[in-house]
Amino acid sequence: PRPAPRADETLAQIPPPRPPMAAAASTMLESLPAPLLRALRLKTKQQELLLRVSALALIYVLAFAVRLFSVLRYESMIHEFDPYFNYRTTLYLTEHGYSEFWNWFDHESWYPLGRVVGGTLFPGLMVTAALLHRLLRALSLAVHIREVCVLTAPFFAANTTLVAYAFGREIWDSGAGLVAAALIAVCPGYISRSVAGSYDNEGVAIFALLLTFYLFVRAVNTGSLAWSLAAAFGYFYMVSAWGGYVFIINLLPLYVLVLLVTGRYSQRLYVAYNCTYVLGMLLGMQIRFVGFQHVQSGEHMAAMGVFFLLQVFFFLDWVKYMLNDVKLFKSFLRITLTCVISVGTLALGIGTASGYISPWTGRFYSLLDPTYAKDHIPIIASVSEHQPTAWSSFMFDFHILLFLFPAGLYFCFKRLSDATIFIVMYGLTSMYFAGVMVRLILVAAPAVCLISAIAVSATIKNLTTLIRSKSKSPQTTGKTTGSKAAAKGAVDQPLPFQHNVAVALLLGAFYLLSRYAIHCTWVTSEAYSSPSIVLSARGHNGGRVIFDDYREAYYWLRQNTPTDAKIMSWWDYGYQITAMGNRTVIVDNNTWNNTHIATVGRAMSSYEDEAYEIMQSLDVNYVLVVFGGVTGYSSDDINKFLWMVRIGGGVFPVIKEPDYLVNGEYRVDKGASPKMLNCLMYKLCYYRFGELTTEYGKPPGYDRVRGVEIGNKDIKLEYLEEAFTTSNWIVRIYKVKPPKNRS
Amino acid sequence: IQSLTKAYAATPTNLKIIDLYVVFAVATALVQVVYMGIVGSFPFNSFLSGVLSCIGTAVLGVCLRIQVNKDNKEFKDLPPERAFADFVLCNLVLHLVIMNFLG
């Protein structure tokens, strides 16, 4: 409730600045002498500036504050899985310095392969957090790096609102900029990945994305090299922060192509795109993880193709300017065009056929062909964030912006310029991709906010001018004489109805915007502020019950196992185990080696003796599983088990998915398949569970997630022994017994 | 083609100097590509940095030419000193990155 009135009052303050300036100026003109008038007019401009600055400051604070729910409710900790890896690398960076970090080889994950961390991550986020940490230390504020990491995302979200304001001002006017800043400050699509504690690449990357786009549009509008240089730096920051930079490097050439096709080629465009592309490409290649992809990978070829196309355009334009004879130019045009097209297609053909230009990687190809991942790459298909988006997600994440988006498109088309064409393209392409993958709603959020801001700003401005012009017209009809007054009078006739309708519409618009603000804060509070590592539920008496099992298990690992112990678990928990448990893991969330993950999947889905052989080959000391049957926690390993089977079966055909299903159904009770009832995962999860009564009135061994009584209650483990089970049975750790002395 | 050369001779001298600079940069790039074709592209980053520095300077030269050309309506109110300063700044950044990339 607290943020809602703020958003409301800031939005209410936006429409008045322009019309009162015009109305006040006109009334002053008639009544006061010149010097006083000039002083007063200056005051009005200063008033407008004051209003704008204070609105922006409030929006900045709002964007930061609305993301702090989980810090206030639980404590300042890192959420989810991926951020733990980022946190660990940042810790390493602050402790060992930059060159050690750049050349770091991590031997604690992906045992026995290790991981070249320096060359396989996007350093932007870690370097930013480390720099902030150093800055704060230099100001003698001794903060722990964890606090900096937790609050990096809200800080950058607040910066994004400023960039959104500048971008809106560039596209439309400052009113739209303010509305855009306010909308993006609370947009749930953006909040979902940038709450305090979500220390992930996207928090910084969206800021870099919007910044790059803003600088590029400004460069195209002004045609200056300095802005193009700034855009190249923005692009460099984006490349260093997130793999989604591929979106920029494809959207910019697409935008240039659209401008060329619609006949808006200009020298400014040439200067802007060329400078940004060359410098951006060079800067992008400095990141080791990206390497030479800008010249070798199929995903970046569009940019290069458009680069050459632009040279051709410029050349033809110059020749046309030089020659004043049209016919000669036409023949020259024909010759050059055929030459260029043939050379271009030849180069592209040779490059793709010889394999020099690598084809689109699976991650991005599945965006163009959504069915690709399910058949070919099960790991990508298994991540829940990569599923196609449902309408409810769109509504949940965008609320009123969803129908303001087409309205904004209409306004953009009414006033077409280079900048509005860009935002329309950004909006349409990002909405398409958001429809393909849930995770990409985040990329669409700024575009949707900007376009909706245009709609809101233009509508409110029209409505308020309608209301204000009613108060202005009696004076003007008094001043002018004769026919003019009669004409104005005739025009003023329909105004009384229009005035009421305008007031009603304005109130309706404010009501909608306030509902949006309320919805966003509710969504943030309920859905997006849970640190997945600490679970909470409501107890019988309504009080909050907190399950801190994950951290309990990781700290047990940290304190009770030898330092060189190797832990085998499903890849979801790898980052957390290395970061908090400080032990070596077999596979983790980086998922760069599919065969290794398939080996673990095979071990989890085999009988205990086959699994023991695999675990011996991998030197496993402990096995960790997550089990939600006692608490009703539904994202546990039994629910993920089929993915383990699929991934394992993708590499080792000895694992067949139908073995674990009964008539195509996945069951864990008495009717389950024998292979399912005796595989390692089942045994580890349900060991000693058959004796436990979980719910009043149900038999012992009742699994609260699946809602059935388990089939195999009398489990005996031969090669493993139970080492630790957390207080709510969520995490279970087993020790692998060494081979017997006498076999 | 003859009308082209005739019309070209009419351009002012400072623009011709920039054009010569651009042609030189492109020629250097071509020489480097031929060299790579002969010797092989082992330190690929060095090859890339060399070629891209030539192309980069060429492109920046063309941009400078666009901005300084008095016949261009869109850049009428851009003072040539500002254009040159931008050019120098971009070149500076370009060569810094090339130095880092050279290996």
Side-chain angles (χ1 to χ4, degrees), chain A residues 399-467:
Chain A
H399 204 239
I400 59 169
L401 301 184
L402 212 50
F403 63 81
L404 286 177
F405 181 66
L409 284 180
Y410 162 70
F411 278 109
C412 283
F413 276 109
K414 250 177 55 171
R415 200 209 280 185
L416 267 186
S417 71
D418 289 346
T420 45
I421 290 185
F422 180 79
I423 195 70
V424 164
M425 286 198 59
Y426 175 29
L428 291 175
T429 46
S430 60
M431 281 304 265
Y432 167 70
F433 287 124
V436 172
M437 216 188 247
V438 173
R439 188 179 180 183
L440 296 179
I441 284 190
L442 173 73
V443 175
V448 169
C449 286
L450 277 165
I451 297 184
S452 315
I454 293 178
V456 169
S457 170
T459 322
I460 290 188
K461 194 173 288 182
N462 287 341
L463 290 175
T464 45
T465 26
L466 221 53
I467 296 180

Side-chain angles (χ1 to χ4, degrees), chain A residues 116-177:
Chain A
V116 181
V117 178
T120 54
L121 57 55
F122 285 106
L125 177 69
M126 298 91 190
V127 171
T128 315
L131 278 177
L132 279 175
H133 176 71
R134 205 188 279 183
L135 179 71
L136 287 173
R137 280 272 162 110
L139 294 173
S140 42
L141 292 164
V143 285
H144 191 264
I145 182 72
R146 195 190 66 230
E147 316 294 341
V148 174
C149 290
V150 165
L151 294 175
T152 301
F155 174 59
F156 273 92
N159 294 343
T160 309
T161 58
L162 293 181
V163 178
Y165 164 70
F167 204 178
R169 195 179 50 179
E170 187 69 26
I171 300 176
W172 200 257
D173 61 23
S174 59

Side-chain angles (χ1 to χ4, degrees), chain A residues 118-257:
Chain A
T120 54
L121 57 55
F122 285 106
L125 177 69
M126 298 91 190
V127 171
T128 315
L131 278 177
L132 279 175
H133 176 71
R134 205 188 279 183
L135 179 71
L136 287 173
R137 280 272 162 110
L139 294 173
S140 42
L141 292 164
V143 285
H144 191 264
I145 182 72
R146 195 190 66 230
E147 316 294 341
V148 174
C149 290
V150 165
L151 294 175
T152 301
F155 174 59
F156 273 92
N159 294 343
T160 309
T161 58
L162 293 181
V163 178
Y165 164 70
F167 204 178
R169 195 179 50 179
E170 187 69 26
I171 300 176
W172 200 257
D173 61 23
S174 59
L178 278 175
V179 178
L183 288 178
I184 205 172
V186 282
C187 181
Y190 184 28
I191 288 188
S192 64
R193 304 291 296 200
S194 65
V195 271
S198 170
Y199 182 54
D200 209 353
N201 298 36
E202 286 94 348
V204 176
I206 296 297
F207 167 70
L209 181 87
L210 210 55
L211 188 69
T212 312
F213 283 151
Y214 163 61
L215 292 172
F216 184 70
V217 169
R218 190 138 175 96
V220 170
N221 272 344
T222 57
S224 95
L225 274 175
W227 285 108
S228 316
L229 181 66
F233 273 118
Y235 177 66
F236 173 56
Y237 190 40
M238 180 70 189
V239 171
S240 73
W242 197 33
Y245 73 90
V246 175
F247 181 62
I248 300 189
I249 200 68
N250 280 317
L251 184 62
L252 291 187
L254 200 63
Y255 169 62
V256 171
L257 214 55

Side-chain angles (χ1 to χ4, degrees), chain B residues 78-86:
Chain B
L78 185 75
E81 289 82 15
R82 164 82 198 272
F84 190 68
D86 281 345

Side-chain angles (χ1 to χ4, degrees), chain A residues 709-722:
Chain A
E709 192 186 336
I710 62 170
N712 187 358
K713 288 191 196 175
D714 192 18
I715 297 178
K716 289 205 179 4
L717 288 174
E718 192 184 333
Y719 297 101
L720 297 142
E721 60 184 6
E722 187 180 2

Side-chain angles (χ1 to χ4, degrees), chain A residues 334-479:
Chain A
R334 234 178 298 128
I335 301 173
T336 349
L337 270 181
T338 42
C339 275
V340 162
I341 291 180
S342 51
V343 167
T345 40
L346 205 65
L348 194 65
I350 292 180
T352 334
S354 67
Y356 186 71
I357 301 180
S358 60
W360 285 58
T361 52
R363 263 180 74 191
F364 298 112
Y365 191 71
S366 61
L367 287 176
L368 296 178
D369 177 16
T371 56
Y372 178 74
K374 195 129 213 269
D375 301 327
H376 297 263
I377 316 176
I379 280 197
I380 297 182
S382 72
V383 181
S384 68
E385 296 175 314
H386 291 180
Q387 306 306 319
T389 328
W391 271 110
S392 55
S393 299
F394 272 118
M395 189 60 195
F396 195 65
D397 277 342
F398 286 140
H399 204 239
I400 59 169
L401 301 184
L402 212 50
F403 63 81
L404 286 177
F405 181 66
L409 284 180
Y410 162 70
F411 278 109
C412 283
F413 276 109
K414 250 177 55 171
R415 200 209 280 185
L416 267 186
S417 71
D418 289 346
T420 45
I421 290 185
F422 180 79
I423 195 70
V424 164
M425 286 198 59
Y426 175 29
L428 291 175
T429 46
S430 60
M431 281 304 265
Y432 167 70
F433 287 124
V436 172
M437 216 188 247
V438 173
R439 188 179 180 183
L440 296 179
I441 284 190
L442 173 73
V443 175
V448 169
C449 286
L450 277 165
I451 297 184
S452 315
I454 293 178
V456 169
S457 170
T459 322
I460 290 188
K461 194 173 288 182
N462 287 341
L463 290 175
T464 45
T465 26
L466 221 53
I467 296 180
R468 295 253 168 212
S469 67
K470 181 71 171 57
S471 57
K472 207 176 76 179
S473 60
Q475 292 177 355
T476 48
T477 44
K479 294 283 187 249

Side-chain angles (χ1 to χ4, degrees), chain A residues 587-666:
Chain A
V587 288
D588 69 13
N589 305 55
N590 194 28
T591 67
W592 65 269
N593 191 337
N594 195 30
T595 318
H596 219 52
I597 297 184
T599 316
V600 172
R602 180 183 174 189
M604 293 293 195
S605 27
S606 320
Y607 292 120
E608 199 184 338
D609 35 8
E610 299 162 4
Y612 185 65
E613 275 174 32
I614 300 177
M615 288 195 283
Q616 286 291 87
S617 74
L618 287 174
D619 274 354
V620 176
N621 299 113
Y622 288 88
V623 181
L624 185 146
V625 293
V626 170
F627 171 60
V630 175
T631 47
Y633 175 55
S634 59
S635 35
D636 64 348
D637 278 355
I638 292 286
N639 274 350
K640 292 180 193 162
F641 182 59
L642 271 184
W643 283 110
M644 299 188 201
V645 170
R646 283 178 194 139
I647 294 175
V651 177
F652 301 104
V654 70
I655 309 280
K656 297 190 244 321
E657 192 181 338
D659 284 347
Y660 299 86
L661 305 170
V662 176
N663 295 335
E665 220 184 291
Y666 181 55

